[in-house]
Amino acid sequence: MAGVDWDEDDPFEEQREQAESPMRRLIFDFGRPYWFSMTVGLISSVFARALDLLPALLLAVAIDSIFGEQAFHEQVPLSVLPEAWLPASETEQFVFVVVVVAGSFVLGAVFHWLRNWGFNSFSQDVQHDVRTATYDKMQRLDMEFFSNKQTGEMMSVLSNDVNQLERFLNEGMNSATRLIVMVFGITFLLFWLNPQLALVSLAPVPLIAIFTYIFVQKIQPKYAAVRSSVGKVNSRLENNLGGINVIKSSNTEEYESDRVNDVSRKYYNTNWDAIWLRIKFFPGLQVISGIGFVLTFLVGGYWVLMGTAPGPFTGTLETGVFVAFIMYTQQLVWPMAQFGQVINMYQRAEASSERIFGLMDEQGRIERDEDANEIEVRDGRVEYDHVSFSYEDELQDSGDDDVDVDGVGDGDGDDQTPYEDLIIDDVSFDVDGGETVALVGPTGAGKSTVLKLLLRLYDVNEGAIRIDGQDVRDVSLASLRQSMGYVGQDSFLFYGTVEENITYGTFGADREEIVEAAKAAEAHEFIQNLPEGYDTMVGERGVKLSGGQRQRVAIARAVLKDPDILILDEATSDVDTETEMLIQRSIDDLTEDRTTFAIAHRLSTIKDADQILVLEDGRIVERGTHAELLQNEGLYSHLWGVQAGEIDELPQEFIERAQRRHARTEISDD
Ligand code: ADP
């Protein structure tokens, strides 16, 4: 579908390209359930506009036959009716005209009301459905989508783009029907009343069409610039508000005000550019339509005044018809002026629906088999079998590019992998049911990624992950995630009560179970001390809980869920030693008899794990228990030495490795 090139750096360019016939789907797929209101809107709109045309016609009749000389039934507009239906006396004719005019106003009001009801309810219903469907689809997309898009950009699809569709379905459709009915209706009436004068009156119409076309061509790139600059303003503001701590502590308010000023000024300029064109366009259009009006006035006036046809024209022109012509040419100007806007609205709606439907068509990397069986967790044995993974989903064109850039890779260095940047490289390990495995290693080593693969936020490129012998790709995603509990480093709380946050995902739990879980998570005490206990509102706009408190709410959530497999991603980072001790106690209870994966920087928290895996550059470089690893004299034992205060610094060899790694890291995670 050919779209408008609104914006070169549209973050949804990819989605827009893959959207197939978005406008058709908008109107037919989403509009179908609401066909009734749409039909009412369309038909009423046509009638309402047609009735708008009636008064001028009746005025012509009144002037020419009641106040003038012509026979009532011979009037062009009345000649369609049988003579017997029409009143004979002048008074009756006058009453007839007044009644019809009054009736047309009343009926017109009813139709306008129906039209408003139809178009508004249609557009609101469709807007609601599109928004919820888009959100529904969006939240099911792979994590990859979210890590590549900024929150603001996604919000803009869910709000701006959806609103754009609503505007088009309501105002756009309304203006379009008005345009069509008025232009065709008036053209028809003028030709019917006097085809010769109609040619004069309508002469500027092609000119208006050309003029509008040029305007639309010129304004499009300007709107694109506006869209892009408003995006930049939003990004800057969002970024600054997010980093307000840094701004204040670096005392850079003035600098940031200048930067905001810059982007805002650019927005002003691009917007002004578009406004300037627009405010030149409308008077221009008025001048062109004015030409039609003046020509009609000139030719028609002369015709009526002289009683004979001027120039090449023939026949007579009645005063009433002349007046109708003057009124109609006036009525034609505004719908014609809106022609550009209707096109503009359509194109914007098209661009928006391309983004929306492109998003709905988004194919994730994770293949979902809707008929997959539920996972059956018996012992909770987890097996990583030669797992490799890269965030890049593109296969390399050829094997030419050296994958193993630094040559640090161990052993089988010549295994050419088709993936550009392996984050997890041939990782294998087994965890028996109920065991705790700890993942340690430097930042960026791939620890979180190993766990994301288990949760199937991403699919492995090679190898397999099995739970009790079942490949995670072969079971239903919902049952897989239901079997796992996750406590991350930054525990997010939803705006709601403490209780709602604990029961999040286990909605049926009763108060007793909730308190039980909170006790197990060492959270009960502090929750009781909150102003309204378990009913205290927390999260954004609610009572602010400390990092450690949030963490314990998250742990209570995990306790309540009672998952088969527990994932702790630096669950005790960012808390003081005392809180850590509390959390650790609750975690120890939780991990007992449950397969647990724990990522930790502070090695003291995982030293009792049944198995410790040391990751570096996506590979397991050491494995064993705490005691075994200490004997190894490898990275682990040295890190332990530093953390326990036994040695001051890592040996040179490890520091050099870290430096090399840091120099290489292009994208660093949080
Ligand atoms: P760790 O948990 O050991 O700190 P991660 O698993 O978070 O390491 O990250 C491993 C590597 O993967 C890092 O180089 C990081 O930059 C990269 N990475 C993490 N998340 C993404 C992502 N969503 N897209 C691309 N690269 C990522």
Side-chain angles (χ1 to χ4, degrees):
M1 185 110 205
V4 191
D5 192 14
W6 290 110
D7 190 355
E8 292 116 36
D9 43 52
D10 183 350
F12 289 89
E13 196 52 51
E14 209 180 296
Q15 278 74 26
R16 290 187 46 195
E17 275 165 19
Q18 70 191 12
E20 273 186 45
S21 36
M23 290 306 268
R24 207 205 66 220
R25 283 162 66 185
L26 171 72
I27 292 170
F28 291 99
D29 295 357
F30 279 87
R32 182 168 300 142
Y34 308 108
W35 66 270
F36 180 72
S37 45
M38 179 68 199
T39 315
V40 169
L42 269 178
I43 294 177
S44 318
S45 177
V46 170
F47 278 110
R49 300 306 176 190
L51 285 170
D52 285 349
L53 297 176
L54 210 54
L57 211 54
L58 288 160
L59 186 64
V61 168
I63 292 174
D64 287 342
S65 60
I66 304 171
F67 311 121
E69 303 294 304
Q70 268 213 330
F72 197 63
H73 66 271
E74 277 173 12
Q75 294 280 301
V76 175
L78 297 178
S79 58
V80 288
L81 299 174
E83 199 183 327
W85 291 13
L86 298 170
S89 82
E90 265 189 3
T91 325
E92 280 173 356
Q93 289 170 353
F94 179 69
V95 172
F96 173 84
V97 169
V98 172
V99 168
V100 175
V101 170
S104 79
F105 278 125
V106 173
L107 207 61
V110 173
F111 279 123
H112 276 291
W113 178 82
L114 275 173
R115 163 196 64 117
N116 275 328
W117 173 83
F119 282 142
N120 276 297
S121 57
F122 177 74
S123 58
Q124 292 303 324
D125 281 329
V126 171
Q127 179 193 32
H128 170 79
D129 287 2
V130 169
R131 193 194 311 282
T132 46
T134 314
Y135 170 73
D136 198 50
K137 172 72 198 204
M138 197 186 266
Q139 69 175 356
R140 282 165 209 276
L141 286 177
D142 296 354
M143 284 310 287
E144 192 173 348
F145 174 83
F146 295 93
S147 56
N148 290 333
K149 300 264 184 296
Q150 291 184 356
T151 319
E153 295 168 352
M154 292 184 275
M155 283 298 292
S156 93
V157 173
L158 290 172
S159 67
N160 299 353
D161 283 330
V162 174
N163 293 350
Q164 201 69 53
L165 296 188
E166 190 260 349
R167 263 198 76 189
F168 167 72
L169 292 176
N170 190 359
E171 285 174 51
M173 296 276 241
N174 189 19
S175 302
T177 39
R178 168 157 75 178
L179 179 73
I180 292 168
V181 174
M182 291 305 239
V183 171
F184 283 96
I186 291 176
T187 305
F188 169 78
L189 287 173
L190 293 186
F191 272 98
W192 194 37
L193 290 171
N194 189 323
Q196 299 177 57
L197 192 56
L199 284 177
V200 176
S201 303
L202 297 173
V205 170
L207 213 62
I208 293 177
I210 294 170
F211 187 64
T212 306
Y213 178 78
I214 295 172
F215 166 74
V216 171
Q217 294 292 316
K218 287 203 161 174
I219 197 98
Q220 269 171 20
K222 299 197 192 296
Y223 279 143
V226 171
R227 214 189 111 81
S228 160
S229 61
V230 77
K232 291 197 174 97
V233 173
N234 286 347
S235 306
R236 164 83 22 231
L237 293 176
E238 203 180 280
N239 205 256
N240 281 18
L241 294 178
I244 192 73
N245 276 343
V246 182
I247 295 177
K248 282 192 184 297
S249 57
S250 322
N251 193 25
T252 49
E253 285 94 342
E254 223 162 284
Y255 171 71
E256 290 302 340
S257 291
D258 284 347
R259 292 216 286 184
V260 169
N261 190 13
D262 281 353
V263 284
S264 180
R265 179 57 63 184
K266 279 199 186 108
Y267 170 60
Y268 174 98
N269 289 337
T270 49
N271 217 358
W272 186 250
D273 202 25
I275 292 170
W276 188 233
L277 188 67
R278 229 172 28 222
I279 59 180
K280 280 191 300 196
F281 168 72
F282 289 106
L285 200 69
Q286 219 129 28
V287 168
I288 301 182
S289 358
I291 295 173
F293 179 75
V294 170
L295 277 178
T296 311
F297 204 81
L298 200 69
V299 176
Y302 181 86
W303 203 329
V304 172
L305 201 66
M306 295 294 149
T308 51
F313 303 115
T314 53
T316 51
L317 179 69
E318 308 301 331
T319 317
V321 173
F322 171 59
V323 170
F325 259 80
I326 294 294
M327 289 178 76
Y328 284 142
T329 38
Q330 283 289 334
Q331 267 185 304
L332 199 58
V333 178
W334 190 235
M336 289 300 289
Q338 282 200 319
F339 181 52
Q341 270 174 340
V342 171
I343 294 187
N344 191 242
M345 248 187 252
Y346 177 83
Q347 285 173 327
R348 279 164 170 243
E350 191 180 37
S352 288
S353 61
E354 277 171 4
R355 271 186 285 272
I356 288 171
F357 287 99
L359 204 144
M360 287 198 199
D361 292 345
E362 183 83 20
Q363 293 290 334
R365 270 171 84 187
I366 296 184
E367 281 179 31
R368 284 151 211 262
D369 179 0
E370 301 302 334
D371 304 322
N373 288 330
E374 298 215 333
I375 192 169
E376 220 182 285
V377 185
R378 291 173 299 271
D379 310 324
R381 183 184 150 80
V382 178
E383 190 185 350
Y384 276 64
D385 183 4
H386 296 284
V387 169
S388 291
F389 171 74
S390 160
Y391 282 106
E392 311 272 321
D393 63 344
E394 309 267 308
L395 284 172
Q396 251 178 277
D397 300 341
S398 66
D400 291 346
D401 292 347
D402 190 2
V403 179
D404 200 1
V405 202
D406 57 318
V408 169
D410 55 358
D412 42 279
D414 56 2
D415 59 336
Q416 282 286 332
T417 159
Y419 293 96
E420 182 91 41
D421 193 7
L422 277 188
I423 298 293
I424 301 300
D425 190 356
D426 197 23
V427 162
S428 293
F429 64 91
D430 291 346
V431 193
D432 273 337
E435 267 190 13
T436 294
V437 58
L439 299 168
V440 301
T443 304
K447 305 179 293 290
S448 300
T449 308
V450 167
L451 300 187
K452 286 181 199 163
L453 295 175
L454 184 63
L455 276 160
R456 210 173 164 221
L457 296 178
Y458 298 90
D459 267 341
V460 300
N461 293 134
E462 278 163 44
I465 300 173
R466 293 185 204 95
I467 298 173
D468 283 335
Q470 305 150 87
D471 193 313
V472 292
R473 286 167 295 190
D474 295 339
V475 295
S476 85
L477 209 53
S479 70
L480 176 75
R481 302 218 176 123
Q482 187 56 36
S483 71
M484 294 187 206
Y486 177 88
V487 183
Q489 36 185 311
D490 183 30
S491 300
F492 182 81
L493 296 187
F494 289 94
Y495 179 65
T497 63
V498 175
E499 174 167 328
E500 282 163 355
N501 269 288
I502 295 178
T503 54
Y504 192 80
T506 319
F507 298 106
D510 59 32
R511 182 52 77 90
E512 210 174 306
E513 292 170 303
I514 295 164
V515 171
E516 209 52 47
K519 278 185 179 156
E522 303 275 352
H524 179 65
E525 219 152 284
F526 90 78
I527 294 172
Q528 272 193 317
N529 287 333
L530 291 173
E532 284 164 69
Y534 283 83
D535 297 320
T536 310
M537 297 300 277
V538 291
E540 219 174 294
R541 295 192 289 141
V543 171
K544 300 284 171 292
L545 299 185
S546 73
Q549 290 170 329
R550 285 206 308 271
Q551 205 71 304
R552 280 174 282 167
V553 170
I555 293 169
R557 188 187 291 163
V559 174
L560 193 64
K561 188 175 182 186
D562 190 22
D564 297 302
I565 295 165
L566 183 67
I567 295 176
L568 304 171
D569 190 349
E570 307 227 25
T572 53
S573 64
D574 287 340
V575 293
D576 58 85
T577 320
E578 196 183 77
T579 318
E580 182 187 327
M581 231 174 56
L582 282 177
I583 296 180
Q584 198 57 50
R585 255 180 44 181
S586 61
I587 284 180
D588 286 345
D589 282 345
L590 189 60
T591 60
E592 219 175 25
D593 302 330
R594 207 188 297 270
T595 310
T596 304
F597 288 79
I599 294 181
H601 269 302
R602 245 174 290 181
L603 303 182
S604 58
T605 59
I606 49 94
K607 70 180 189 348
D608 296 326
D610 300 291
Q611 193 180 169
I612 298 170
L613 304 174
V614 185
L615 255 82
E616 215 180 337
D617 290 329
R619 294 163 196 249
I620 298 179
V621 290
E622 285 171 69
R623 64 176 90 202
T625 59
H626 176 69
E628 286 163 358
L629 290 175
L630 282 187
Q631 303 234 305
N632 246 1
E633 297 272 311
L635 181 60
Y636 184 87
S637 72
H638 288 97
L639 285 175
W640 176 262
V642 174
Q643 289 190 6
E646 287 161 12
I647 53 174
D648 290 338
E649 207 178 45
L650 284 176
Q652 194 56 27
E653 168 203 353
F654 294 108
I655 291 180
E656 276 169 16
R657 258 157 68 179
Q659 281 169 340
R660 265 208 308 274
R661 200 164 41 233
H662 282 274
R664 220 175 44 235
T665 309
E666 280 170 38
I667 29 167
S668 86
D669 68 339
D670 44 328

